[in-house]
Structure formats: structure tokens, C-alpha cells
């Protein structure tokens, strides 16, 4: 049988989420939205309605990437302002019974500039007290293929148990070597469409990815489909959970014995 996973929709923009029809499909267990959705009373009410149906809310980029990527090199005053802003949005997350919040930084720059990496470590460590206050975990969005060793070294240097990764992938053969190195941190995948063609993922693609990731991460994994079409995501989740032809043949063979 397919390894158990939880499916959800990942919205890249507040506008996309604002246009999302309700109710949220029953086959989807979580909903990921940008942190900017917390600034709108209307969108917060929409999130509360969805959360009341036992759907987990995941604020992925609590601070927009365009801002977060520049934060490590800013002066003390701006870092203090970031801490205030981060705390306010963490409070909003707690009101929605979120268990985690997300951030994304300039990983390519971190790989090539030691000073940026050191400043990023200091910035992240400054957020840990706020995360503990609101009992939230921090999930960092990273791209695959990517420098898996650098991702792991960063997490180990931070020495904070409440931090993990969101592995951002596009369709294609999975990077098995990177997935092996990240096997303890591969409990959340954000599946983006192919950027040039817009083609998305199939149920078989997801089965291959989950199999390649191995079995050492927390279960069940969360699979977030990056799309504005929630019905297509629900159909993909149903297709994944449907037995494959080989599994159906095996079941029929066992029942005939």
C-alpha cells in the first residue's frame, strides 16, 4: 500500500487564497497560506472557518521572502522591528491553532557568503524565544535539488529542536542523494508545477518521491500541492490514496485463495 501522507493546498499569494471557493475539500488535511493573509480581517475569518473543520493552517512565509532574504544584513533597529513583526504574526498563528510557521531565506547567498550565513544564524536564534513563547515550530523552505549538506549543517549549528524543513520540488526524477541526506527532515514537501510548462504532479510522481525519501521522517508526511485549484489537489490526493493496479491485482489474488 502507499505510505500514508496528508495532502493540502499551498497558496503562493493572498489573492489566490482570497479567490478560493469554500468549503475546503474534505480530502485535504491542511492549508498553507502566506503570512500576509493574517493582515486581512476578511481572510482571517476565512481561515477560522476552515480551521473549525479540523483543517490545520500552515502560515508558510510568515514574512515575505523579498523582505526576509535581506534581513540578515540589516542594522540592529531593523532587526528589532523584525522581532516585533514576527511576534505579532506568531500571535495571529496561535489564534488559528497553528503548530508551526515558516520562513524562506536566500540559500544560494548563504552557500557562498560566510558573513551572510553567520548573520542568518544570529537572526534565527533571535526568533527562538518568540517561538517558544507561542509553542510554535519553525519550518524553513528550501529548494531541491539543492545543497543538502549545507541545509543539514545549518540545522545542526542552530541546535534548536523546533526547526525543520519544507522541501520545495518540481516534477521530475527525485534527487535521491539529497533526499537520503535530508531523510530526518523530509516530513513536508511543497510540490510546485514545472516553471516553464506549468505541468503538475501525478499520483505516480508523488509515490516515487515518497518512496525515494525513505521512512525515517515523522509520519504521516505532509504533501502540499502549490496551486490555486483546490479541486485538482483533492483529486490528486484521491488518486494517490486509490490502490494501484498492482495492489488491486494482489488483493484480488489473495481473496481468491
Amino acid at each position: 500500500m502507499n505510505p500514508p501522507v496528508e495532502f493540502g493546498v499551498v497558496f503562493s499569494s493572498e489573492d489566490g487564497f482570497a479567490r478560493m471557493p469554500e468549503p475546503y475539500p474534505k480530502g485535504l488535511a491542511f492549508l498553507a497560506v502566506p503570512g500576509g493573509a493574517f493582515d486581512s480581517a476578511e481572510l482571517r475569518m476565512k481561515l477560522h472557518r476552515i480551521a473549525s473543520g479540523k483543517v490545520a493552517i500552515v502560515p508558510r512565509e510568515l514574512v515575505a521572502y523579498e523582505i526576509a532574504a535581506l534581513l540578515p544584513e540589516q542594522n540592529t533597529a531593523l532587526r528589532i522591528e523584525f522581532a516585533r513583526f514576527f511576534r505579532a504574526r506568531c500571535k495571529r498563528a496561535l489564534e488559528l491553532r497553528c503548530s508551526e510557521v515558516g520562513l524562506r531565506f536566500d540559500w544560494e547567498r548563504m552557500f557562498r557568503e560566510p558573513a551572510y550565513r553567520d548573520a542568518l544564524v544570529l537572526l534565527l536564534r533571535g526568533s527562538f524565544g518568540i517561538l517558544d513563547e507561542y509553542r510554535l515550530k519553525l519550518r524553513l523552505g528550501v529548494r531541491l535539488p539543492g545543497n543538502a549538506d549545507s541545509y543539514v549543517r545549518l540545522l545542526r549549528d542552530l541546535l534548536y529542536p523546533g526547526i525543520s524543513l519544507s522541501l520545495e520540488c518540481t516534477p521530475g526524477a527525485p534527487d535521491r542523494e539529497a533526499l537520503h541526506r535530508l531523510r530526518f527532515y523530509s516530513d513536508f514537501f511543497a510540490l510546485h508545477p514545472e516553471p516553464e510548462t506549468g505541468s503538475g504532479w501525478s499520483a505516480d510522481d508523488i509515490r516515487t518521491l515518497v518512496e525515494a525519501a525513505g521512512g525515517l521522517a515523522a509520519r504521516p508526511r505532509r504533501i502540499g500541492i502549490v496551486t490555486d485549484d483546490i479541486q485538482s489537489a483533492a483529486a490528486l490526493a484521491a488518486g494517490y490514496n486509490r490502490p494501484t493496479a498492482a495492489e488491486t491485482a494482489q488483493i484480488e489474488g489473495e481473496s481468491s485463495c
Side-chain angles (χ1 to χ4, degrees), residues 53-69:
K54 307 302 182 183
V55 174
I57 304 300
V58 182
R60 275 168 47 81
E61 291 187 11
L62 202 64
V63 179
Y65 168 76
E66 293 77 10
I67 297 173

Side-chain angles (χ1 to χ4, degrees), residues 92-241:
R92 294 285 194 195
L94 189 65
E95 292 169 356
L96 284 159
R97 300 190 295 277
C98 301
S99 61
E100 63 182 59
V101 295
L103 289 172
R104 188 162 62 93
F105 295 96
D106 189 341
W107 303 116
E108 293 301 321
R109 189 173 176 190
M110 184 195 78
F111 298 152
R112 66 176 185 265
E113 296 183 23
Y116 181 88
R117 185 188 191 280
D118 292 344
L120 174 60
V121 168
L122 289 175
L123 181 72
L124 288 171
R125 284 176 177 163
S127 72
F128 295 164
I130 299 171
L131 294 167
D132 287 342
E133 178 182 352
Y134 291 105
R135 297 184 177 87
L136 292 166
K137 294 183 179 180
L138 178 62
R139 189 175 294 278
L140 301 176
V142 301
R143 283 279 187 176
L144 287 184
N147 193 326
D149 286 340
S150 290
Y151 298 148
V152 172
R153 283 197 300 271
L154 176 66
L155 295 181
R156 290 176 176 171
D157 288 349
L158 288 168
L159 293 174
Y160 183 66
I163 192 167
S164 192
L165 300 177
S166 167
L167 304 182
E168 318 275 321
C169 307
T170 53
D175 185 344
R176 291 179 178 270
E177 182 177 351
L179 287 172
H180 177 73
R181 295 179 188 279
L182 296 169
R183 60 195 183 279
F184 295 106
Y185 311 102
S186 61
D187 61 327
F188 191 113
F189 287 93
L191 306 187
H192 296 255
E194 211 286 325
E196 294 184 1
T197 66
S199 60
W201 291 71
S202 69
D204 284 341
D205 291 335
I206 297 173
R207 291 187 188 101
T208 300
L209 177 68
V210 173
E211 183 275 330
L216 294 177
R219 292 296 186 100
R221 283 186 171 89
R222 283 184 170 176
I223 301 291
I225 310 299
V226 182
T227 180
D228 288 348
D229 184 353
I230 61 172
Q231 296 304 329
S232 68
L236 187 55
Y240 176 88
N241 290 316

